[in-house]
């Protein structure tokens, strides 16, 4: 009888120990998942508050262009994170891939602010209608066209 009580006590203690270990592992995983989800929500909130529009482009000549982007969102935009693409409409390529360059009137675009972008490419594009596309850090993009 006494040995049966001792065996039951050992089994209860072992069961509690195993349950505690499993609960600790589950809580650790839940904590990790919670942290990852919190980071995703913060990033999405930040990207959701980011909004900009390419408001105007101008073809100065066959190798020099101007573009203007306005920040219509509620957070700053680092212009070094904005990709500029240029080419035939629907077939734009990254500016860097054709040896082009862009200079900005400001590097950090505050809400409501307009940035002027001077774009130059080493050789003319073989079309009279040029498309300039801006791809923003949140993945949104827009484009405007101009004629040479």
């Amino acid at each position: 009888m006494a040995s049966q009580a001792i065996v039951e006590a050992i089994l209860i203690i072992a069961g509690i120990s195993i349950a505690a270990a499993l609960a600790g592992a589950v809580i650790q995983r839940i904590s990790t998942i919670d942290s990852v989800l919190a980071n995703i929500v913060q990033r999405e909130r930040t990207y959701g508050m980011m909004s900009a529009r390419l408001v105007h482009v101008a073809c100065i000549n066959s190798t020099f262009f101007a573009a203007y982007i306005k920040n219509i969102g509620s957070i700053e935009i680092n212009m070094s994170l904005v990709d500029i693409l240029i080419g035939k409409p629907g077939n734009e390529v990254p500016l860097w891939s054709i040896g082009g360059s862009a200079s900005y009137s400001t590097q950090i675009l505050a809400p409501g602010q307009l940035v002027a972008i001077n774009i130059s490419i080493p050789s003319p594009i073989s079309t009279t209608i040029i498309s300039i596309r801006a791809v923003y850090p949140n993945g949104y993009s827009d484009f405007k066209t101009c004629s040479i």
Side-chain angles (χ1 to χ4, degrees):
M1 258 331 196
S3 65
Q4 183 180 0
I6 292 173
V7 169
E8 286 181 14
I10 291 173
L11 288 175
I12 290 172
I13 291 171
I16 291 172
S17 297
I18 291 171
L22 289 174
V26 168
I27 289 173
Q28 182 182 9
R29 294 289 184 216
I30 289 173
S31 175
T32 302
I33 291 169
D34 180 55
S35 175
V36 167
L37 290 176
N39 287 338
I40 290 170
V41 167
Q42 178 60 34
R43 187 181 70 225
E44 291 302 318
R45 182 178 298 136
T46 299
Y47 283 155
M49 295 172 10
M50 180 184 299
S51 185
R53 294 291 180 269
L54 186 59
V55 294
H56 181 71
V57 297
C59 293
I60 310 303
N61 61 42
S62 61
T63 60
F64 189 72
F65 312 90
Y68 299 88
I69 294 176
K70 183 169 186 170
N71 183 350
I72 58 173
S74 57
I75 63 171
E76 293 179 338
I77 299 173
N78 184 342
M79 292 307 296
S80 66
L81 300 176
V82 176
D83 291 325
I84 303 295
L85 290 77
I86 191 166
K88 296 177 182 179
N91 196 24
E92 302 94 351
V93 295
L95 193 57
W96 57 265
S97 73
I98 57 172
S101 63
S103 62
Y104 304 94
S105 61
T106 184
Q107 199 59 34
I108 302 296
L109 190 57
Q113 190 176 14
L114 185 74
V115 62
I117 307 169
N118 294 319
I119 301 167
S120 62
I121 56 175
S123 59
I125 298 172
S126 62
T127 183
T128 57
I129 299 176
I130 302 292
S131 174
I132 298 175
R133 180 177 296 275
V135 181
Y136 306 105
N138 62 357
Y140 175 79
S141 73
D142 63 346
F143 72 96
K144 297 271 187 212
T145 59
C146 59
S147 298
I148 298 176

